Amino acid sequence: MSARLQILQPGPQTTVQDLGRHGFQAYGVPVCGALDGTALRLANALVGNEAAQAGLEIRLAGPAFEVIGGPARLALAGALASIEVTLGDEMRRYSAWRAIDVPEGARVRVGALVGSGCAVLAFAGGVDVPPVLGSRATDLKGRFGGHEGRALAAGDRLPLGMGESQGPCLELPSPPRASGEVTLRAVPGPQTDAFTDEALNAFFATTYRISHEADRMGMRLEGPPLAFRSGADIVSDGIATGAIQVPGSGLPILLLVDHQTIGGYAKIATVISADLPLAGGLTPGTIIRFQAVTVAEGEEARRARQAEIARLIASLAPVREGPRIDEAALHQANLISGVVTALESS
Amino acid sequence: MRVAAAEAGMVGGEAMTAKRIDARARFLPVGDTAFAVEFGDRIDPAINALVHRTAALLAETRPEGMVETVPSFRSLLVHYDPLRTSAKALQELIGALELEDEASRAPARIWRIPVLYGGGAGPDLAEVAAATGLGEAEVIALHAGALYRIYVQGFLPGFAYLGDLPEALDLPRRTSPRVRVPPGSVAIAQRMSGIYPVESPGGWHLIGHTPLRFFDPVQSPPTLFAPGDGVRFVPVGEDAHATIAEAVAQGRYSVAREEGPA
């Protein structure tokens, strides 16, 4: 019998996600999947999984759970956080970006995320919920997929697949770090002709702030409103993840993985796929700007991103022993600042 | 099955011959993983037929690197994997494909959807009657008297845009959308009718309710309707509605349909 997770506290929004449900958008079924697909790939690589296996997507802060029915190997990627593993009287703290072997009966608590609003917790063997339409991704709006089509709740039990937990735990020696300024590259279109020239120029020249209206469907942006040449309404057409639609208010909405398949607002630009993992982790209050690129430049950026992911996966190496703490994470997380001092002095 | 002459419209009334797709459509950039093949800027059965024919053609052709296509009223969104192909390569390939000349076809099959109109099942029926200057019975007769075509599925899983609604029932969307529309609600707005497949917010006018289910993620394909299908609404009373609801819940209701011309 393979291990299961008994959820003690779910965190703000923890869902089962993989790389998404493709092939059914013609029926109105959104893609969903991890907001940060790079984090999913790297977390899976850390625990020895295939790239597309399902893990838990965490928003803002992690869940607490008990590992029952067997041991589990897990890894957090996409953000920094403190991971506490408690067995009996002994508690150990670990950092993100490394595999951790958790014995049967141990409790795991993932703290507040630092550096990104979302992260992926992967388990060797994957989270073994039944696939729906070819994917284990949770569709929150359609209420299917993942665990009962919803975010996790206390008391849930999640089965894990059979994983290869042989060999030493791996770590990523130099994890990607979030930079202060956020620039998202975007291809103008498809409805550039719905906007005035001034609006098109302003869109790429100004900064926007992520508002509090932000979820897996999309993020409303605050900034100067954009002017239309011909109005915000179009005859509904297909939407790609990363599309920036502009309703009548003139304030853009950046559409993310849970977006509707079609929509009736003009779209001024589309964030390129290489930058979508970054976009997915943005939190309210963050200042961003958009940089115009061509389709060919976007495709080239995606190839470069893929090569970067391959390079990071090739760099995985056995963990140097002993529980290690990412100091940057702890310095930024007030909740556990007391712990930093204790560890730094040791 | 005979179909109204209006069903057999053509783009701009012009006769069409086999033409390359790039002569009929324009490609619009949608980031680095998709592009739109846009055949027009309005809701028109002939334009929509071109969209669906292109989707069918691409499903047969299966160009390398294409992931999926999403038909909408007047354009086809082509999703691709930029690690396996490029927009340029795919557009050259798709642009050179030819669409045969044909008048828009009558629906191959027409689904008969039982509807309980008005009352709690259709809370906006009285308002629609008042706004259109018609009696409630006339609204029902007009809505149930038309043959609808499935233009697009989207917005919600299994939500089908059915057109064209008779002009006499043309109303803008509600000024304040409902936070929760129950699944099975039969609704109208502008020149479209639709059925909410799952509970959702919604701004359309609710005139009736059907006990049928339109989206089941366990099935593949997950929806009852396919592009190009026809739909007719059949008024039923409360008793029939309840009986059908029970049969649907027990999984022993099969939706009635008329076969169209081959």
PDB file of all heavy atoms in Angstrom, chain A residues 20-46:
ATOM      1  N   GLY A  20      -1.920  20.591 -17.029  1.00  0.00           N
ATOM      2  CA  GLY A  20      -3.161  21.097 -17.609  1.00  0.00           C
ATOM      3  C   GLY A  20      -3.893  20.094 -18.480  1.00  0.00           C
ATOM      4  O   GLY A  20      -3.375  19.044 -18.852  1.00  0.00           O
ATOM      5  N   ARG A  21      -5.141  20.467 -18.768  1.00  0.00           N
ATOM      6  CA  ARG A  21      -6.068  19.608 -19.505  1.00  0.00           C
ATOM      7  C   ARG A  21      -6.161  20.145 -20.930  1.00  0.00           C
ATOM      8  O   ARG A  21      -6.841  21.132 -21.184  1.00  0.00           O
ATOM      9  CB  ARG A  21      -7.417  19.660 -18.772  1.00  0.00           C
ATOM     10  CG  ARG A  21      -8.494  18.748 -19.294  1.00  0.00           C
ATOM     11  CD  ARG A  21      -9.660  18.746 -18.308  1.00  0.00           C
ATOM     12  NE  ARG A  21      -9.353  17.925 -17.153  1.00  0.00           N
ATOM     13  CZ  ARG A  21      -9.206  18.387 -15.900  1.00  0.00           C
ATOM     14  NH1 ARG A  21      -9.355  19.655 -15.632  1.00  0.00           N
ATOM     15  NH2 ARG A  21      -8.902  17.557 -14.930  1.00  0.00           N
ATOM     16  N   HIS A  22      -5.446  19.497 -21.831  1.00  0.00           N
ATOM     17  CA  HIS A  22      -5.402  20.002 -23.199  1.00  0.00           C
ATOM     18  C   HIS A  22      -6.309  19.169 -24.099  1.00  0.00           C
ATOM     19  O   HIS A  22      -6.508  17.982 -23.867  1.00  0.00           O
ATOM     20  CB  HIS A  22      -3.966  19.974 -23.724  1.00  0.00           C
ATOM     21  CG  HIS A  22      -3.041  20.852 -22.923  1.00  0.00           C
ATOM     22  ND1 HIS A  22      -2.928  22.207 -23.143  1.00  0.00           N
ATOM     23  CD2 HIS A  22      -2.244  20.575 -21.866  1.00  0.00           C
ATOM     24  CE1 HIS A  22      -2.080  22.717 -22.275  1.00  0.00           C
ATOM     25  NE2 HIS A  22      -1.644  21.749 -21.487  1.00  0.00           N
ATOM     26  N   GLY A  23      -6.862  19.793 -25.127  1.00  0.00           N
ATOM     27  CA  GLY A  23      -7.632  19.057 -26.120  1.00  0.00           C
ATOM     28  C   GLY A  23      -9.137  19.168 -25.967  1.00  0.00           C
ATOM     29  O   GLY A  23      -9.873  18.622 -26.776  1.00  0.00           O
ATOM     30  N   PHE A  24      -9.617  19.882 -24.943  1.00  0.00           N
ATOM     31  CA  PHE A  24     -11.064  19.971 -24.729  1.00  0.00           C
ATOM     32  C   PHE A  24     -11.564  21.418 -24.668  1.00  0.00           C
ATOM     33  O   PHE A  24     -12.685  21.672 -24.244  1.00  0.00           O
ATOM     34  CB  PHE A  24     -11.460  19.205 -23.465  1.00  0.00           C
ATOM     35  CG  PHE A  24     -11.162  17.732 -23.572  1.00  0.00           C
ATOM     36  CD1 PHE A  24      -9.970  17.223 -23.070  1.00  0.00           C
ATOM     37  CD2 PHE A  24     -12.037  16.883 -24.218  1.00  0.00           C
ATOM     38  CE1 PHE A  24      -9.676  15.867 -23.197  1.00  0.00           C
ATOM     39  CE2 PHE A  24     -11.758  15.531 -24.347  1.00  0.00           C
ATOM     40  CZ  PHE A  24     -10.567  15.022 -23.841  1.00  0.00           C
ATOM     41  N   GLN A  25     -10.718  22.357 -25.085  1.00  0.00           N
ATOM     42  CA  GLN A  25     -11.154  23.754 -25.056  1.00  0.00           C
ATOM     43  C   GLN A  25     -12.281  24.004 -26.048  1.00  0.00           C
ATOM     44  O   GLN A  25     -13.102  24.903 -25.855  1.00  0.00           O
ATOM     45  CB  GLN A  25      -9.980  24.694 -25.354  1.00  0.00           C
ATOM     46  CG  GLN A  25      -8.951  24.719 -24.238  1.00  0.00           C
ATOM     47  CD  GLN A  25      -7.909  25.802 -24.461  1.00  0.00           C
ATOM     48  OE1 GLN A  25      -8.160  26.965 -24.205  1.00  0.00           O
ATOM     49  NE2 GLN A  25      -6.757  25.421 -24.964  1.00  0.00           N
ATOM     50  N   ALA A  26     -12.355  23.198 -27.105  1.00  0.00           N
ATOM     51  CA  ALA A  26     -13.434  23.355 -28.079  1.00  0.00           C
ATOM     52  C   ALA A  26     -14.792  23.053 -27.449  1.00  0.00           C
ATOM     53  O   ALA A  26     -15.824  23.448 -27.984  1.00  0.00           O
ATOM     54  CB  ALA A  26     -13.196  22.438 -29.284  1.00  0.00           C
ATOM     55  N   TYR A  27     -14.794  22.336 -26.318  1.00  0.00           N
ATOM     56  CA  TYR A  27     -16.039  22.048 -25.601  1.00  0.00           C
ATOM     57  C   TYR A  27     -16.265  23.012 -24.438  1.00  0.00           C
ATOM     58  O   TYR A  27     -17.141  22.803 -23.608  1.00  0.00           O
ATOM     59  CB  TYR A  27     -16.018  20.606 -25.077  1.00  0.00           C
ATOM     60  CG  TYR A  27     -15.790  19.580 -26.158  1.00  0.00           C
ATOM     61  CD1 TYR A  27     -14.523  19.066 -26.404  1.00  0.00           C
ATOM     62  CD2 TYR A  27     -16.845  19.163 -26.965  1.00  0.00           C
ATOM     63  CE1 TYR A  27     -14.314  18.141 -27.406  1.00  0.00           C
ATOM     64  CE2 TYR A  27     -16.637  18.248 -27.972  1.00  0.00           C
ATOM     65  CZ  TYR A  27     -15.367  17.735 -28.194  1.00  0.00           C
ATOM     66  OH  TYR A  27     -15.168  16.823 -29.197  1.00  0.00           O
ATOM     67  N   GLY A  28     -15.421  24.027 -24.353  1.00  0.00           N
ATOM     68  CA  GLY A  28     -15.563  25.007 -23.278  1.00  0.00           C
ATOM     69  C   GLY A  28     -14.814  24.638 -22.012  1.00  0.00           C
ATOM     70  O   GLY A  28     -14.995  25.268 -20.984  1.00  0.00           O
ATOM     71  N   VAL A  29     -13.973  23.599 -22.081  1.00  0.00           N
ATOM     72  CA  VAL A  29     -13.253  23.136 -20.886  1.00  0.00           C
ATOM     73  C   VAL A  29     -11.908  23.855 -20.787  1.00  0.00           C
ATOM     74  O   VAL A  29     -11.061  23.707 -21.672  1.00  0.00           O
ATOM     75  CB  VAL A  29     -13.022  21.614 -20.949  1.00  0.00           C
ATOM     76  CG1 VAL A  29     -12.257  21.127 -19.725  1.00  0.00           C
ATOM     77  CG2 VAL A  29     -14.356  20.885 -21.075  1.00  0.00           C
ATOM     78  N   PRO A  30     -11.709  24.646 -19.728  1.00  0.00           N
ATOM     79  CA  PRO A  30     -10.445  25.386 -19.606  1.00  0.00           C
ATOM     80  C   PRO A  30      -9.262  24.469 -19.329  1.00  0.00           C
ATOM     81  O   PRO A  30      -9.436  23.331 -18.894  1.00  0.00           O
ATOM     82  CB  PRO A  30     -10.695  26.332 -18.436  1.00  0.00           C
ATOM     83  CG  PRO A  30     -11.814  25.753 -17.674  1.00  0.00           C
ATOM     84  CD  PRO A  30     -12.623  24.913 -18.625  1.00  0.00           C
ATOM     85  N   VAL A  31      -8.048  24.987 -19.561  1.00  0.00           N
ATOM     86  CA  VAL A  31      -6.835  24.171 -19.436  1.00  0.00           C
ATOM     87  C   VAL A  31      -6.481  23.910 -17.968  1.00  0.00           C
ATOM     88  O   VAL A  31      -6.114  22.803 -17.598  1.00  0.00           O
ATOM     89  CB  VAL A  31      -5.657  24.850 -20.162  1.00  0.00           C
ATOM     90  CG1 VAL A  31      -4.367  24.078 -19.920  1.00  0.00           C
ATOM     91  CG2 VAL A  31      -5.944  24.928 -21.656  1.00  0.00           C
ATOM     92  N   CYS A  32      -6.576  24.925 -17.134  1.00  0.00           N
ATOM     93  CA  CYS A  32      -6.172  24.824 -15.721  1.00  0.00           C
ATOM     94  C   CYS A  32      -4.715  24.365 -15.630  1.00  0.00           C
ATOM     95  O   CYS A  32      -3.918  24.697 -16.471  1.00  0.00           O
ATOM     96  CB  CYS A  32      -7.119  23.922 -14.945  1.00  0.00           C
ATOM     97  SG  CYS A  32      -8.838  24.458 -15.090  1.00  0.00           S
ATOM     98  N   GLY A  33      -4.338  23.605 -14.606  1.00  0.00           N
ATOM     99  CA  GLY A  33      -2.941  23.217 -14.427  1.00  0.00           C
ATOM    100  C   GLY A  33      -2.202  24.224 -13.556  1.00  0.00           C
ATOM    101  O   GLY A  33      -2.760  25.230 -13.126  1.00  0.00           O
ATOM    102  N   ALA A  34      -0.922  23.923 -13.300  1.00  0.00           N
ATOM    103  CA  ALA A  34      -0.130  24.758 -12.393  1.00  0.00           C
ATOM    104  C   ALA A  34       0.070  26.158 -12.969  1.00  0.00           C
ATOM    105  O   ALA A  34       0.358  26.311 -14.152  1.00  0.00           O
ATOM    106  CB  ALA A  34       1.221  24.110 -12.132  1.00  0.00           C
ATOM    107  N   LEU A  35      -0.091  27.183 -12.124  1.00  0.00           N
ATOM    108  CA  LEU A  35       0.200  28.557 -12.536  1.00  0.00           C
ATOM    109  C   LEU A  35       1.665  28.685 -12.926  1.00  0.00           C
ATOM    110  O   LEU A  35       2.004  29.406 -13.862  1.00  0.00           O
ATOM    111  CB  LEU A  35      -0.090  29.520 -11.376  1.00  0.00           C
ATOM    112  CG  LEU A  35      -1.552  29.843 -11.091  1.00  0.00           C
ATOM    113  CD1 LEU A  35      -1.672  30.503  -9.723  1.00  0.00           C
ATOM    114  CD2 LEU A  35      -2.112  30.757 -12.177  1.00  0.00           C
ATOM    115  N   ASP A  36       2.513  28.019 -12.182  1.00  0.00           N
ATOM    116  CA  ASP A  36       3.950  28.062 -12.449  1.00  0.00           C
ATOM    117  C   ASP A  36       4.392  26.675 -12.940  1.00  0.00           C
ATOM    118  O   ASP A  36       4.767  25.802 -12.156  1.00  0.00           O
ATOM    119  CB  ASP A  36       4.702  28.461 -11.169  1.00  0.00           C
ATOM    120  CG  ASP A  36       6.212  28.596 -11.393  1.00  0.00           C
ATOM    121  OD1 ASP A  36       6.707  28.112 -12.443  1.00  0.00           O
ATOM    122  OD2 ASP A  36       6.891  29.173 -10.524  1.00  0.00           O
ATOM    123  N   GLY A  37       4.315  26.490 -14.245  1.00  0.00           N
ATOM    124  CA  GLY A  37       4.649  25.192 -14.833  1.00  0.00           C
ATOM    125  C   GLY A  37       6.109  24.833 -14.654  1.00  0.00           C
ATOM    126  O   GLY A  37       6.473  23.656 -14.556  1.00  0.00           O
ATOM    127  N   THR A  38       6.983  25.841 -14.582  1.00  0.00           N
ATOM    128  CA  THR A  38       8.402  25.586 -14.352  1.00  0.00           C
ATOM    129  C   THR A  38       8.609  24.979 -12.969  1.00  0.00           C
ATOM    130  O   THR A  38       9.378  24.029 -12.794  1.00  0.00           O
ATOM    131  CB  THR A  38       9.214  26.895 -14.482  1.00  0.00           C
ATOM    132  OG1 THR A  38       8.964  27.448 -15.770  1.00  0.00           O
ATOM    133  CG2 THR A  38      10.696  26.644 -14.330  1.00  0.00           C
ATOM    134  N   ALA A  39       7.887  25.521 -11.981  1.00  0.00           N
ATOM    135  CA  ALA A  39       7.998  24.988 -10.617  1.00  0.00           C
ATOM    136  C   ALA A  39       7.544  23.532 -10.581  1.00  0.00           C
ATOM    137  O   ALA A  39       8.166  22.700  -9.915  1.00  0.00           O
ATOM    138  CB  ALA A  39       7.162  25.828  -9.646  1.00  0.00           C
ATOM    139  N   LEU A  40       6.467  23.218 -11.309  1.00  0.00           N
ATOM    140  CA  LEU A  40       5.982  21.832 -11.334  1.00  0.00           C
ATOM    141  C   LEU A  40       7.047  20.913 -11.921  1.00  0.00           C
ATOM    142  O   LEU A  40       7.342  19.845 -11.384  1.00  0.00           O
ATOM    143  CB  LEU A  40       4.677  21.726 -12.128  1.00  0.00           C
ATOM    144  CG  LEU A  40       4.097  20.307 -12.170  1.00  0.00           C
ATOM    145  CD1 LEU A  40       3.431  19.950 -10.848  1.00  0.00           C
ATOM    146  CD2 LEU A  40       3.107  20.125 -13.299  1.00  0.00           C
ATOM    147  N   ARG A  41       7.660  21.339 -13.025  1.00  0.00           N
ATOM    148  CA  ARG A  41       8.694  20.513 -13.670  1.00  0.00           C
ATOM    149  C   ARG A  41       9.873  20.287 -12.729  1.00  0.00           C
ATOM    150  O   ARG A  41      10.385  19.181 -12.599  1.00  0.00           O
ATOM    151  CB  ARG A  41       9.180  21.186 -14.951  1.00  0.00           C
ATOM    152  CG  ARG A  41       8.189  21.121 -16.091  1.00  0.00           C
ATOM    153  CD  ARG A  41       8.797  21.775 -17.333  1.00  0.00           C
ATOM    154  NE  ARG A  41       8.052  21.423 -18.526  1.00  0.00           N
ATOM    155  CZ  ARG A  41       7.025  22.141 -18.992  1.00  0.00           C
ATOM    156  NH1 ARG A  41       6.634  23.234 -18.356  1.00  0.00           N
ATOM    157  NH2 ARG A  41       6.389  21.757 -20.076  1.00  0.00           N
ATOM    158  N   LEU A  42      10.326  21.374 -12.088  1.00  0.00           N
ATOM    159  CA  LEU A  42      11.507  21.254 -11.226  1.00  0.00           C
ATOM    160  C   LEU A  42      11.191  20.445  -9.968  1.00  0.00           C
ATOM    161  O   LEU A  42      12.006  19.624  -9.531  1.00  0.00           O
ATOM    162  CB  LEU A  42      12.036  22.646 -10.868  1.00  0.00           C
ATOM    163  CG  LEU A  42      12.627  23.435 -12.055  1.00  0.00           C
ATOM    164  CD1 LEU A  42      13.002  24.856 -11.626  1.00  0.00           C
ATOM    165  CD2 LEU A  42      13.851  22.716 -12.626  1.00  0.00           C
ATOM    166  N   ALA A  43      10.008  20.655  -9.386  1.00  0.00           N
ATOM    167  CA  ALA A  43       9.633  19.897  -8.187  1.00  0.00           C
ATOM    168  C   ALA A  43       9.559  18.405  -8.536  1.00  0.00           C
ATOM    169  O   ALA A  43      10.043  17.561  -7.781  1.00  0.00           O
ATOM    170  CB  ALA A  43       8.298  20.393  -7.641  1.00  0.00           C
ATOM    171  N   ASN A  44       8.986  18.091  -9.685  1.00  0.00           N
ATOM    172  CA  ASN A  44       8.924  16.688 -10.112  1.00  0.00           C
ATOM    173  C   ASN A  44      10.315  16.109 -10.320  1.00  0.00           C
ATOM    174  O   ASN A  44      10.599  14.981  -9.912  1.00  0.00           O
ATOM    175  CB  ASN A  44       8.091  16.563 -11.394  1.00  0.00           C
ATOM    176  CG  ASN A  44       6.594  16.393 -11.096  1.00  0.00           C
ATOM    177  OD1 ASN A  44       6.218  15.825 -10.077  1.00  0.00           O
ATOM    178  ND2 ASN A  44       5.757  16.882 -11.993  1.00  0.00           N
ATOM    179  N   ALA A  45      11.206  16.889 -10.943  1.00  0.00           N
ATOM    180  CA  ALA A  45      12.564  16.399 -11.178  1.00  0.00           C
ATOM    181  C   ALA A  45      13.269  16.109  -9.849  1.00  0.00           C
ATOM    182  O   ALA A  45      14.003  15.126  -9.720  1.00  0.00           O
ATOM    183  CB  ALA A  45      13.357  17.417 -11.997  1.00  0.00           C
ATOM    184  N   LEU A  46      13.022  16.955  -8.849  1.00  0.00           N
ATOM    185  CA  LEU A  46      13.681  16.782  -7.543  1.00  0.00           C
ATOM    186  C   LEU A  46      13.294  15.469  -6.857  1.00  0.00           C
ATOM    187  O   LEU A  46      14.075  14.900  -6.108  1.00  0.00           O
ATOM    188  CB  LEU A  46      13.344  17.970  -6.621  1.00  0.00           C
ATOM    189  CG  LEU A  46      14.142  19.253  -6.893  1.00  0.00           C
ATOM    190  CD1 LEU A  46      13.473  20.462  -6.235  1.00  0.00           C
ATOM    191  CD2 LEU A  46      15.583  19.116  -6.403  1.00  0.00           C
TER     192      LEU A  46
END
